[in-house]
Amino acid sequence: MKNVDYIIVGDGYAALFFAHQLLLNNKSFVVFSEGKKSASQISAGIINPVVLKKFTTFWLAQQQIDFLKKTLKEIESYTGENYLIESPIHRIFHDENEQKLWLKKSANDDLKNFLDEKFDHLNSVKNDFHTGKVNQSARLNVKGFFDGLLSYLENNENLIREKFDYSLIDTSNSRYKDFSFKNILFCEGMGVKENPYFSDISVNPNKGHHIRIKLSQLIPENITIKKKHFLFPLENDLHFYGGTYDREQLHHEIDNSAVEQLQKGLSEFYPYDFEIKEIHFGFRPTVKDRRPILGRHSGYTNFYVFNGLGARGILNGCYFSKTLFDFIEDNMPLPQEISIERF
């Protein structure tokens, strides 16, 4: 029997950022990874403090950005890799009214550090009304992040690559197979619906598609372009474009309508030929109030959940991993805005 402080079930942003908190605090743990590509692992990796449809920000945006940069530096200290890509978002304006709204919003205290007052014109794409740059925006090297962290955990015997079996939990003695645990944390995204302890939490699937494309005319700038969706460079001369949002078509197959939406959206500002090389989709766990769900099980006091990260998985997963750790270890109360008890 091996004694650990934590068992973590899941391998997305919530799981790995919480594992980082455990590493920082010298806690013993194992992560159970089923090995499927989670929504986190196929995500765009956009780090963005602004809601680009309405030019607004969100709760704790600056604090989340600052904490993420600090955390990625800490992770670099043991993986040897910096996964932050300094590639600012340039939002293409649809018309002059959007330009005026952007400038008006940029004077607000909560947005002045994010909305650049100077507009830019990009030579490589159609942007008749120029673009607005989102300061402090960036991207995460998603593949590098997951490959690097999972490899580090595996090399240090913190990773178990197998599907977790709920039926094998001995709740009375806090045991699972050959492990005795103090706490168990479920970070399963939409997989939580199969979890007998937390299947009733209020998360709903939001299906997102993205395409990986070969551009006939390359975009020279190292930026992320946003109109309807995000366009940015990947390795091997490919570009990412996506992702869509769909709460209705939830089958586990590619939706041709979503692919057509992406093709049309890209063609609106990229006036050259492109070839679709790959199509990916995943299911984001979303919550009606757009804030994550954290907390303790009402009946099993050492069972916890960390879910509902939605489209801001990187920022939510990173920032609230520390909040959850402090709640478990130091009994610091969870903010009502993210507590499981708010529902």
Side-chain angles (χ1 to χ4, degrees):
M1 186 67 65
K2 182 177 180 180
N3 298 319
V4 293
D5 294 316
Y6 287 84
I7 288 177
I8 300 175
V9 181
D11 56 8
Y13 289 126
L16 294 195
F17 280 121
F18 192 84
H20 171 66
Q21 291 299 321
L22 300 183
L23 289 170
L24 286 182
N25 290 278
N26 297 312
K27 298 295 182 180
S28 59
F29 68 95
V30 288
V31 175
F32 278 84
S33 168
E34 187 176 348
K36 292 182 178 179
K37 288 288 186 183
S38 65
S40 294
Q41 294 184 40
I42 66 164
S43 66
I46 300 295
I47 300 164
N48 175 26
V50 177
V51 179
L52 288 170
K53 188 174 183 179
K54 302 177 181 178
F55 307 152
T56 57
T57 189
F58 50 86
W59 185 51
L60 300 174
Q62 186 65 64
Q63 293 93 320
Q64 291 191 37
I65 291 280
D66 293 343
F67 191 77
L68 175 65
K69 291 180 178 179
K70 171 179 175 290
T71 299
L72 291 177
K73 283 289 186 184
E74 294 166 350
I75 291 173
E76 182 181 1
S77 70
Y78 57 82
T79 65
E81 297 289 337
N82 183 351
Y83 303 115
L84 184 66
I85 301 172
E86 298 284 1
S87 177
I89 297 168
H90 283 250
R91 164 63 151 80
I92 294 177
F93 294 122
H94 292 84
D95 50 38
E96 290 183 358
N97 288 332
E98 282 198 337
Q99 289 181 331
K100 293 175 182 177
L101 180 60
W102 178 285
L103 287 176
K104 180 181 178 180
K105 293 288 187 76
S106 69
N108 294 352
D109 287 343
D110 58 345
L111 284 161
K112 63 183 180 182
N113 292 328
F114 302 139
L115 301 183
D116 200 305
E117 294 180 348
K118 180 184 176 183
F119 296 156
D120 293 303
H121 185 268
L122 307 179
N123 295 321
S124 50
V125 297
K126 181 176 171 56
N127 57 126
D128 295 343
F129 297 95
H130 298 67
T131 69
K133 184 174 75 168
V134 181
N135 294 324
Q136 302 191 58
S137 62
R139 294 201 322 272
L140 185 74
N141 175 357
V142 176
K143 184 178 186 302
F145 176 83
F146 282 103
D147 287 352
L149 267 175
L150 290 171
S151 293
Y152 178 85
L153 295 177
E154 189 165 36
N155 292 338
N156 288 274
E157 299 184 346
N158 295 116
L159 183 66
I160 298 176
R161 295 185 182 271
E162 65 180 55
K163 182 177 175 63
F164 190 85
D165 187 343
Y166 308 106
S167 69
L168 298 180
I169 303 177
D170 178 352
T171 57
S172 299
N173 297 297
S174 295
R175 291 179 181 175
Y176 178 77
K177 290 189 171 181
D178 296 329
F179 291 95
S180 173
F181 59 87
K182 289 184 180 177
N183 302 292
I184 185 166
L185 173 64
F186 296 99
C187 308
E188 304 159 290
M190 287 314 307
V192 75
K193 291 302 181 182
E194 300 175 7
N195 184 324
Y197 303 99
F198 290 105
S199 61
D200 60 343
I201 65 170
S202 299
V203 294
N204 299 296
N206 187 311
K207 189 176 184 180
H209 286 72
H210 78 258
I211 53 178
R212 300 189 180 202
I213 53 179
K214 182 92 169 182
L215 301 179
S216 61
Q217 299 288 328
L218 292 181
I219 297 170
E221 298 94 345
N222 179 30
I223 58 174
T224 299
I225 299 173
K226 172 70 162 72
K227 196 172 184 186
K228 288 185 177 178
H229 308 289
F230 292 101
L231 175 70
F232 57 82
L234 298 168
E235 296 176 342
N236 303 317
D237 293 328
L238 293 180
H239 277 68
F240 178 110
Y241 186 64
T244 61
Y245 293 84
D246 192 342
R247 294 181 174 86
E248 303 299 328
Q249 301 296 324
L250 300 178
H251 52 77
H252 288 261
E253 296 175 2
I254 292 170
D255 292 318
N256 291 329
S257 60
V259 178
E260 291 172 5
Q261 177 187 332
L262 291 169
Q263 289 175 298
K264 181 180 178 182
L266 179 57
S267 297
E268 286 182 6
F269 68 93
Y270 182 77
Y272 312 104
D273 291 335
F274 59 89
E275 181 183 359
I276 297 176
K277 293 292 189 179
E278 301 173 22
I279 303 170
H280 297 269
F281 68 88
F283 297 88
R284 310 174 187 91
T286 62
V287 186
K288 61 182 179 181
D289 61 7
R290 301 191 177 186
R291 290 177 181 169
I293 296 176
L294 288 69
R296 178 187 288 125
H297 193 277
S298 59
Y300 302 101
T301 57
N302 60 343
F303 282 41
Y304 298 89
V305 68
F306 189 6
N307 208 309
L309 302 189
R312 300 191 190 108
I314 297 168
L315 291 173
N316 281 333
C318 181
Y319 187 82
F320 293 113
S321 64
K322 176 68 162 57
T323 306
L324 181 58
F325 179 84
D326 291 341
F327 169 68
I328 298 172
E329 291 292 329
D330 300 321
N331 205 29
M332 294 183 65
L334 290 173
Q336 181 64 24
E337 291 90 341
I338 58 171
S339 173
I340 192 174
E341 295 179 359
R342 73 185 186 272
F343 297 110

